[in-house]
Amino acid sequence: MRICVINPNTAAAMTDVIAAAARSVARPDCEIVAVTSTMGPESIESHYDEALAVPGLLRAINDHPGCDGYLIACFGDPGLDAAREIADAPVLGIAEAAMHLAAPLGRRFSIVTTLDRTIGRAIDLVDHYGFAGHCGGVHACDIPVLELETNPATADILEKSCAAALSTDDSDAIVLGCAGMADLAHRIGAAIGAPVIDGVAAGVGMLTAMAAIGVHTGTASGEFRRPPRKRYSGPLRDFEIT
Amino acid sequence: MRICVINPNTAAAMTDVIAAAARSVARPDCEIVAVTSTMGPESIESHYDEALAVPGLLRAINDHPGCDGYLIACFGDPGLDAAREIADAPVLGIAEAAMHLAAPLGRRFSIVTTLDRTIGRAIDLVDHYGFAGHCGGVHACDIPVLELETNPATADILEKSCAAALSTDDSDAIVLGCAGMADLAHRIGAAIGAPVIDGVAAGVGMLTAMAAIGVHTGTASGEFRRPPRKRYSGPLRDFEIT
Amino acid sequence: MRICVINPNTAAAMTDVIAAAARSVARPDCEIVAVTSTMGPESIESHYDEALAVPGLLRAINDHPGCDGYLIACFGDPGLDAAREIADAPVLGIAEAAMHLAAPLGRRFSIVTTLDRTIGRAIDLVDHYGFAGHCGGVHACDIPVLELETNPATADILEKSCAAALSTDDSDAIVLGCAGMADLAHRIGAAIGAPVIDGVAAGVGMLTAMAAIGVHTGTASGEFRRPPRKRYSGPLRDFEIT
Amino acid sequence: MRICVINPNTAAAMTDVIAAAARSVARPDCEIVAVTSTMGPESIESHYDEALAVPGLLRAINDHPGCDGYLIACFGDPGLDAAREIADAPVLGIAEAAMHLAAPLGRRFSIVTTLDRTIGRAIDLVDHYGFAGHCGGVHACDIPVLELETNPATADILEKSCAAALSTDDSDAIVLGCAGMADLAHRIGAAIGAPVIDGVAAGVGMLTAMAAIGVHTGTASGEFRRPPRKRYSGPLRDFEIT
Amino acid sequence: MRICVINPNTAAAMTDVIAAAARSVARPDCEIVAVTSTMGPESIESHYDEALAVPGLLRAINDHPGCDGYLIACFGDPGLDAAREIADAPVLGIAEAAMHLAAPLGRRFSIVTTLDRTIGRAIDLVDHYGFAGHCGGVHACDIPVLELETNPATADILEKSCAAALSTDDSDAIVLGCAGMADLAHRIGAAIGAPVIDGVAAGVGMLTAMAAIGVHTGTASGEFRRPPRKRYSGPLRDFEIT
Amino acid sequence: MRICVINPNTAAAMTDVIAAAARSVARPDCEIVAVTSTMGPESIESHYDEALAVPGLLRAINDHPGCDGYLIACFGDPGLDAAREIADAPVLGIAEAAMHLAAPLGRRFSIVTTLDRTIGRAIDLVDHYGFAGHCGGVHACDIPVLELETNPATADILEKSCAAALSTDDSDAIVLGCAGMADLAHRIGAAIGAPVIDGVAAGVGMLTAMAAIGVHTGTASGEFRRPPRKRYSGPLRDFEIT
């Protein structure tokens, strides 16, 4: 079994964190293929970054055919529906996976993300996936994505943010709102005494389940069939489907 | 890793079907402990059956401590919240697990259950778990639970019901609405050309993911803490928590 | 006219409180049949208690045929759907009845329950009955059920909790979240200057209305028809429908 | 106990039907005060009619102080919030009352109204009262209000419409969508084998329950306090609050 | 192009404020016809006022045929559906228009209204128009309608209320909750550094768009067809449709 | 006043249709700047096309600073949130604008789009903008985007699709689901006797209203502030914010 985990930004150090988190939960017979996007922003902290990370994500999927599942390792789940149209196997975003796994762990979960400007996107995803009744709130820890790994205070700040979120929202579980936090899930969970879900691990788990069952994205309604062929031009002309 | 899969009715033949489905997707290092309830109804086809299956389910959990996850193998998810209060590890219902795994496989899924009198309960679960926007409809194939394994036409009837549901609801995926259908998921999926999710396999997959991550049911809000001790009397006096 | 009010726990003293509340609002020609459950927990403060109170409740309904309405006098409304399948007359839970009567009394109501671990169940019922837009919040007064009648400070504490709820939620009415609070509704209402609804009185009122109109639970959709007969075994074998 | 039932149109014959329905369910010690509006439209079949029926309704309430409850006997529940501000006792609309009483009688109810142009208003009320999940559909029988009592085919047409609604919506109960249908509830219920709720009877029942409990419309949030005094002019100058 | 802006209360000074706001945004070729109601309350601060303002509003529409759009300049949007049945051109309420224009200006907007007793009606409109997910909260500045123009502190108080709402709700935009605040939108917007929407200007803009496109209220479903003719009596007999 | 209307696909012929529709409703003093994307797909009929049209859209906005409003002329509203972060003036998508203008024109509207694979995206937008209660359904006419202008049967097919949608959904208005249909709105409206809204005209109208009022996208919550600067690489390196 092979799961392809794609970091849709270009920061290779973050891919290492993501890959480690993925491998820590993969079943013995599962290979993790960790991929860094080759184009676009080096971190994703705005709708603008997110939109411009999608071409690189789609290219990464195209460049790694034959996997049993694809995981988009950015909490905005950029390009998820487009990825489903072109991938040969199920595709999950880490926000989606984290929420699916966190919901059954209690009455409600809280999300703790990076900058407060990303809260809106998280709320949109909560609504879209159906978790409005299960998410107690979305909170920011105010650490930029690329500082997560370099700021020595990250773990402490994030731990405090998670504890506060749990209490403010009267929640039972925490969802970490950035792939760059993946390495901190266990430490924070132990510190606050509550389940802490990192979407990378959650996504590998859910994709593994789908692969073991042997299911693919459904195409009966037509929405997720392979896109119609047409002319592409300009710097994105290579994205033309052949 | 050990996952305890509980059939909350007393039909041992159905437990065999469930155990086989669970084992077919379990990772190499995962032991499936399949348990048949020792009290209550031999099948669950009404709110009355479901309510009276819960004591047997809770006893089964109590009798099998030390597992890494518990799966309630009846599509009504009976006793789920109570089970979460007493189990040492995460608990899932198969309806819950199936919907979580089916939602990311397309625009919407359809549920195909046994008797039409069970449709209401399925709708309640769809709403409760947050999938009202992802479930296109709940349909009955009109086969009683205990006939699923004995009626030679089961596979054909169920296949037709699933194909009709897919088309009526403009859905991309099917969720099978009874643990007794677990052995038919692959055959129907192949026949109708769409992902078909059986909750037993989905539940094993999701519990495996939770176990790999190392999370338990959260207790911070208080709701899922161990129940307060008190006197129990009558035929259920043994359920007193000691 | 005869209304059967069932206390689904085994605490007879609480049944007395419930019966008095029921009789205080019954119309002159209405007999209140107050019944205490003969099996299960002596109070209901967890999902576990609630699940294990249901067999006793169903037995009580079975043992008192021929009434014009049945009221489940526990705020979790345990076993409500199952009871509807087997009773010959309409069945209400006191949470359900209280919310239906409280909603038209203002912009929104607040619920004040016993222990905070019961808040989740109340929220589920609010959602299920359709009152998410009418319920401003669910609050706990932190008094265990069996202490409600014995703690001399109960009335004062509950009054303060209700006043605080009204103000926090900007509500117009209070719903009391436990049958054991039934005797305090008037006193608290007078003290806080707002309508306070106890579900026992509300339930008797609504069942009386249904009986006067002459309606029963509808069975057209199939869901609430009498359950199919089947074998029951173990300590619950007497629940087999004959 | 005195319940004031107000027909907000000027058709006295319809008031007779309403009064009879109210009296048929009133408890022995309850007096029904039936009032016909003295101004506005002779029937209510549009938003325009409904808006212009409100002054007459408010005058009727003002002219009958000292009752224990007020029922607005038009299925659009015209002027309900305004009535709550000026009445000394609880106020219900018949749509509101019917839905509250019908919801606990099954999985879902269907509404059968008069002209199809009134369907929209019924949908708004369903949403507003919280019954979107409990109402299977709103249907018109295409009989104008004033023909309900004069058209000899009314009962047959309405019976067919109700049976069709039950089947189309997979419902368990029917709510009649016009006060002028009140006399037909029993006949139709017997014919279609399902509970049929007329809002006049339902409203008397719920107001009786409120009166027996001794509650009034809550004013804590401020919304339903007596309106501020101010100058009124033109044909409505008599409505100035003094 | 002619847009008719109706002040449904009888305070002519407030009509001047409204007319000025309307004209300040009207396109060069658009005439604003500003009308003051000739009957009913001099200000609208309760459900009672609102209900009794509707006849005057409907008369004003009837008295000004041939316009290209009608705007109801009271934030409760009184009589909106009735007005749509009788007007020859599109009709908007200022609450409706303001919310439609404010929603695309950010993540969510806050409403700041006059007295707290009007908050409930604003919430009803938010829900009815579909903006429950876009409205962060409804707040009162506690200034009665008729004091808005006379109280020298109005601008300061309102500015503070708007700034507080923005911060409390984490909103991006403000909707002013009374037509009498129309003249303050720019000043407050500049002071708090956020878009402030007055419904009068918003309504003129949206009606202009509808007129330019050439659309009217649709009547295909039947709901908004001209009301059926019937007898009207009493002080409102002149409202009989001829 | 200058409104920039951007066709986010590369088909210049379609830009002509869009520009004409925009100019037909623009006020006399409003200049329409019509722009064709210079990179990406020549039509947008899949999530994949949509994602890859966003860079071209963002470039177009960047290349046309100083306008009073920006309209994204593709019914999927691609890149809307990202555009709001970088534009100096309000930004609307045509789906968003069309729904805001259609909702007040009746009880509900129907959407008629091109290929059935685009229905899902339209449903997501309906939900996101808050129109789930106002949209009766989304339908496909099965004409690919680029054939809309070349297929001589387009007008007839679309007219039939719109009439069918109106009847099936019991709707009062139609929203056209593709910018390429803009030239047919009047003809279809006349043919089916119902308001037909094209989002290009609606968007120009709403942006004009916003410009006349003088409001911009709000930035108080932080979400729509200018994106943080960071390194961009690969074919999209020019998108780095300087």
Side-chain angles (χ1 to χ4, degrees), chain C residues 148-165:
Chain C
L148 284 172
E149 311 304 326
T150 59
N151 185 338
T154 291
D156 284 348
I157 293 171
L158 196 53
E159 185 185 312
K160 276 191 195 106
S161 295
C162 290

Side-chain angles (χ1 to χ4, degrees), chain D residues 4 52 55 100 184:
Chain D
C4 181
L52 292 163
H100 280 288
L184 296 172

Side-chain angles (χ1 to χ4, degrees), chain D residues 117-206:
Chain D
R117 67 179 303 144
T118 67
I119 290 176
R121 175 66 180 169
I123 292 173
D124 282 345
L125 295 180
V126 165
D127 287 348
H128 184 59
Y129 298 136
F131 296 111
H134 300 80
C135 176
V138 185
H139 309 263
C141 70
D142 276 322
I143 306 175
V145 170
L146 294 182
E147 283 185 27
L148 284 173
E149 311 304 327
T150 59
N151 185 337
T154 291
D156 283 347
I157 293 172
L158 196 52
E159 185 186 313
K160 277 193 195 104
S161 295
C162 290
L166 209 66
S167 164
T168 301
D169 299 344
D170 205 16
S171 293
D172 288 317
I174 293 288
V175 165
L176 295 179
C178 179
M181 301 170 177
D183 52 337
L184 296 172
H186 278 101
R187 175 177 158 172
I188 294 172
I192 67 173
V196 173
I197 300 290
D198 147 55
V200 176
V204 169
M206 288 189 69

